[in-house]
Amino acid sequence: MLSHLHIENLAVIDSMDIVFGAGLNLLTGETGAGKSIVIDALGAVLGARTTRELVRTGAAAAHAGAVFTDVEADIAEWLEASLGVELEDGELSVSRDIMADGRTVCRIAGKTATVAQLRDLGAKLAQIHGQHDSRMLLDEDSHLVLIDDFGRTQEALSTYQVIYDRWRTLVTEREKLLRDDADKVRRADTLIYQLEEINAADLQPDEDKNLVQRRDFLKNARKIAEAVNITYQLIYGGEESASDALGEASRAMSGVASINDELTGLSERVDELMYAARDVAEDVRAMLDVLESDPGELEDIEARLDRLYRLKRKYGGTIEDILAFAENAQAELEAIERSDERLAELNLLCEDALSELKNAAAVLTDERRIAAEGMRARLADELRGLDMPNAKFEINLKDTELYGNGAETAEFLFSANKGEPPKPLAKIASGGELSRVQLGLMNILHSGVPTMVFDEVDTGISGHAAQMVAVKLKSVSQSRQVLCVTHLPQIAAAADRHFHIEKDSEGERAVTRVRELEQSERVEEIARIIGGANVAEETKKAAARLIENANSRR
């Protein structure tokens, strides 16, 4: 339930606080006083679209904040699961700041939130019904949504949509395979050529790196040979080579090695040096053998590297990229070669999915027809209770090709007068009739929320019809909180709490204020609504009787 609404610097409102209660909360006031601005402020808190034009002239930002109490358990669970917000004593604060440059800052329980999160939460806390909802009644695309809400057909609709999406995916794949055969042949020829070129190269991982190393080695063969030959001669090949000198040193040390442990260790280390020198000499000699290569090897390497370079330009920057390209090309070629087989398979899958889809559509259609009949009967009762005893409301479900929402569309038909056949609601209903149809629908739909807000639901009605609308609003307010902006005395008289919005001047600025009316003030306000600025005593008595009659129906 909405308990407190605080507004700052929003349009003509500089600062305002309203404390709402359970039941029917009514807002009245002169045209232009700012009643709808209060609804706009609540809409901003609930995540509705805002513009910077709402910011009061000269202010840096506008602010709208609300406190909801006795928040229902499912909403509290959603808050914790979705936003990590835990409520204390079932109380929730929500606010929105609208900057002069159009930016907004949203907070839920003091925690910064996105507009989308605020909108999701707002849809669970309250619904605002006004001229937009009347436009929904005029929009044929919205009629099926209302039927699904009334009939609780969402599960059947969800099942249908899952199958529909699967069927469309299969159909799309089949259409792709049915492209021009010449395109498939040309593509297959290209893939075959590319694969033959890559496979003929017999590529090996890191082959290019190894070839570059071998090429650089061969290009420097003479320089390497000179260095290797000198090294071999110095270590092993000459008369005074390092190997010979170490041999003499080894023999000299072996003669004294047994004298003590230290000499033994030195002798062993000299021997290690001698053997190491001979090992190095053997490796150096082997390098000389390697240098005796095929004179044409360098040419072969250069040719191979050139071939690899051309393949890289076509198919990827590295050998790994080329091999990956070949793997993908092979997979695509196999898919093309298997396309006839896959097409036959898809034909069967599409047929099975379509059969399943038709069955799901039939189930959904049956549920919608039952829901439409129940909705027609319930709304007819509601309209009789809204002073439209001769009104007829019909729902025309029209068969269509299968689409994302089923196998039918819906159209609301309406007749307000006896003897007149129902016709499309959008073409014949007056503003007052639309308001009452809207109120009746809101009372029978299942997507109820703790707080319902009606902005000028009384448009186009008066007299006994207004009295019946007041009774209906009062009925709705028995099970949920209702806020209503009205210009009708019959509705104002039914209030549990009555707020008066008035506009005054402070210097050069217009200022809007709100106050909750006492019983005597309510009589004055309702008398003003009945008779205008100059209120006669008889008008006050009439206002008092309206309030008394409304109280007697509680």
Side-chain angles (χ1 to χ4, degrees), residues 281-337:
E282 290 299 323
D283 291 342
V284 170
R285 183 176 182 81
M287 180 63 70
L288 289 171
D289 294 337
V290 171
L291 288 167
E292 296 176 3
S293 61
D294 180 358
E297 182 182 1
L298 184 58
E299 277 186 31
D300 293 342
I301 291 174
E302 293 287 7
R304 179 64 173 174
L305 287 171
D306 181 66
R307 185 177 185 181
L308 296 179
Y309 172 75
R310 284 185 281 108
L311 288 174
K312 288 178 183 179
R313 290 190 63 183
K314 288 184 178 181
Y315 306 118
T318 66
I319 288 179
E320 287 71 21
D321 291 338
I322 299 171
L323 293 173
F325 180 94
E327 185 178 349
N328 293 333
Q330 183 65 42
E332 185 179 353
L333 180 60
E334 290 174 0
I336 291 174
E337 292 171 345

Side-chain angles (χ1 to χ4, degrees), residues 177 179-189 336 339-340:
L177 284 179
R179 64 187 178 184
D180 182 52
D181 286 342
D183 288 342
K184 289 192 287 187
V185 170
R186 283 193 293 270
R187 181 58 180 163
D189 288 344
I336 291 174
S339 62
D340 291 340

Side-chain angles (χ1 to χ4, degrees), residues 253-482:
M253 287 301 297
S254 64
V256 295
S258 60
I259 296 175
N260 60 35
D261 292 341
E262 185 176 359
L263 290 170
T264 300
L266 289 171
S267 176
E268 290 173 352
R269 291 169 65 190
V270 171
D271 288 345
E272 289 173 0
L273 286 172
M274 179 185 67
Y275 293 127
R278 291 177 181 177
D279 288 343
V280 171
E282 290 299 323
D283 291 342
V284 170
R285 183 176 182 81
M287 180 63 70
L288 289 171
D289 294 337
V290 171
L291 288 167
E292 296 176 3
S293 61
D294 180 358
E297 182 182 1
L298 184 58
E299 277 186 31
D300 293 342
I301 291 174
E302 293 287 7
R304 179 64 173 174
L305 287 171
D306 181 66
R307 185 177 185 181
L308 296 179
Y309 172 75
R310 284 185 281 108
L311 288 174
K312 288 178 183 179
R313 290 190 63 183
K314 288 184 178 181
Y315 306 118
T318 66
I319 288 179
E320 287 71 21
D321 291 338
I322 299 171
L323 293 173
F325 180 94
E327 185 178 349
N328 293 333
Q330 183 65 42
E332 185 179 353
L333 180 60
E334 290 174 0
I336 291 174
E337 292 171 345
R338 293 197 311 270
S339 62
D340 291 340
E341 178 184 339
R342 177 59 177 166
L343 183 58
E345 181 184 4
L346 282 172
N347 284 332
L348 292 175
L349 291 172
C350 286
E351 185 177 340
D352 290 344
L354 182 58
S355 176
E356 189 179 355
L357 184 63
K358 288 179 178 178
N359 290 335
V363 171
L364 178 59
T365 296
D366 287 344
E367 290 193 14
R368 280 174 168 169
R369 292 195 183 283
I370 294 171
E373 177 56 28
M375 185 175 177
R376 182 202 64 76
R378 285 284 306 280
L379 189 56
D381 289 341
E382 291 289 324
L383 293 178
R384 281 192 289 272
L386 289 166
D387 197 37
M388 301 178 75
N390 298 317
K392 292 182 181 178
F393 181 82
E394 302 289 345
I395 299 175
N396 182 19
L397 290 178
K398 297 177 285 187
D399 294 337
T400 66
E401 296 292 328
L402 297 174
Y403 71 114
N405 281 327
E408 58 275 317
T409 59
E411 182 182 31
F412 290 168
L413 305 176
F414 177 76
S415 170
N417 301 309
K418 195 172 184 177
E420 290 292 330
K423 295 179 181 179
L425 180 69
K427 295 181 179 178
I428 66 167
S430 67
E433 291 163 349
L434 279 176
S435 295
R436 281 177 280 178
V437 172
Q438 171 193 330
L439 180 57
L441 277 174
M442 293 307 104
N443 202 34
I444 66 174
L445 294 179
H446 294 294
S447 57
V449 291
T451 299
M452 296 183 70
V453 183
F454 294 95
D455 186 11
E456 300 188 5
V457 73
D458 54 17
T459 300
I461 61 174
S462 60
H464 188 257
Q467 184 68 57
M468 301 306 290
V469 169
V471 171
K472 185 60 63 178
L473 285 170
K474 193 66 179 177
S475 173
V476 173
S477 72
Q478 301 305 306
S479 58
R480 66 191 78 178
Q481 182 188 41
V482 175

